[in-house]
Amino acid sequence: MKSPKISLVDPRLSTLRDKLLSLEEEFAHIPQEAPERTHAAVSIVLREGCLLEVLLIKRAEAEGDPWSGQMAFPGGRRDPTDSDLLQTAIRETLEEVSLSLGDQGIHLGRLEPTVPATTRLPPITIFPYVFGVPEGTDAQVSSREVDEILWVPLAVLQDPGSTSTVEIHYGDNRTRTFPCLRVGDRVIWGLTYRILTGFFEILRTSEPSV
């Protein structure tokens, strides 16, 4: 039996949707297609409850994967069969964590596209889509690309105590320090950190507080 689809009774989600809709005009000038870049989509899935939680995954260790072992959102590259990037986000989430956003979730809007800040990573543009799902919604590892699933309260990630730095070692014997968020022994940095912190800025201007 399928879980009931979420409504927008929760004022935190309905207010967030209104805020994201108001930002769509700002994103309208950003090209949706750029032939020289790969396009991908990720899902920022918010689960209702006393505290809103966000779904994160830990990517499996894989040789040749530039994001191997990192904390991330479910998502991936657009497939030629996808009608659009929203469909990419929904399909990838189902494939990776067995969560059908088309049945159990509601699309709240999207964030500004994000591109890697370094040429070490592939030329890719990532489109983050935001969804809400009901309290009690489950997810499970359903792809060899995913090692772990984690629901984290937004309040924990937004707590200043979660802010830290991480040293990343490169093969040419260089070490760089990057800002990150720490949840226990898990480190959120890079593109996922940038998407999350941009999302937090939107949340700070949303009332009631999420």
Side-chain angles (χ1 to χ4, degrees), residues 130-143:
V130 184
F131 300 86
V133 296
E135 186 173 5
T137 296
D138 195 15
Q140 60 185 12
V141 173
S142 56
S143 167

Side-chain angles (χ1 to χ4, degrees), residues 8 41-42 44 46 48 52 76 89 91 105 108 119 132 145 150 177 200:
L8 286 177
V42 297
I44 301 176
L46 304 178
E48 285 185 311
L52 285 182
R91 175 184 56 77
L108 301 175
T119 55
E145 297 177 0
L150 196 66
T177 300
F200 293 162

Side-chain angles (χ1 to χ4, degrees), residues 62-84:
E63 186 175 352
D65 179 3
W67 297 282
S68 175
Q70 293 185 22
M71 299 300 296
F73 299 108
R77 291 174 173 82
R78 181 175 182 176
D79 188 272
T81 62
D82 295 333
S83 58
D84 53 27

Side-chain angles (χ1 to χ4, degrees), residues 4-46:
K5 191 164 184 176
I6 193 173
S7 68
L8 286 177
V9 172
D10 190 324
R12 298 170 299 182
L13 295 184
S14 58
T15 302
L16 176 59
R17 185 187 65 169
D18 291 342
K19 178 64 178 180
L20 291 172
L21 286 173
S22 74
L23 294 174
E24 282 193 359
E25 290 187 5
E26 295 183 25
F27 300 152
H29 70 283
I30 300 173
Q32 295 295 300
E33 303 292 340
E36 73 279 7
R37 303 189 69 86
T38 300
H39 289 80
V42 297
S43 298
I44 301 176
V45 183
L46 304 178

Side-chain angles (χ1 to χ4, degrees), residues 73-150:
F73 299 108
R77 291 174 173 82
R78 181 175 182 176
D79 188 272
T81 62
D82 295 333
S83 58
D84 53 27
L85 285 159
L86 174 60
Q87 181 59 40
T88 300
I90 293 172
R91 175 184 56 77
E92 286 281 346
T93 302
L94 179 61
E95 292 177 359
E96 292 186 343
V97 300
S98 292
L99 175 54
S100 176
L101 293 171
D103 293 326
Q104 297 171 253
I106 187 167
H107 175 221
L108 301 175
R110 77 168 176 87
L111 309 184
E112 185 174 0
T114 302
V115 299
T118 172
T119 55
R120 289 178 177 271
L121 294 176
I124 191 169
T125 302
I126 299 173
F127 294 76
Y129 290 85
V130 184
F131 300 86
V133 296
E135 186 173 5
T137 296
D138 195 15
Q140 60 185 12
V141 173
S142 56
S143 167
R144 63 183 182 182
E145 297 177 0
V146 179
D147 186 60
E148 181 185 17
I149 288 172
L150 196 66

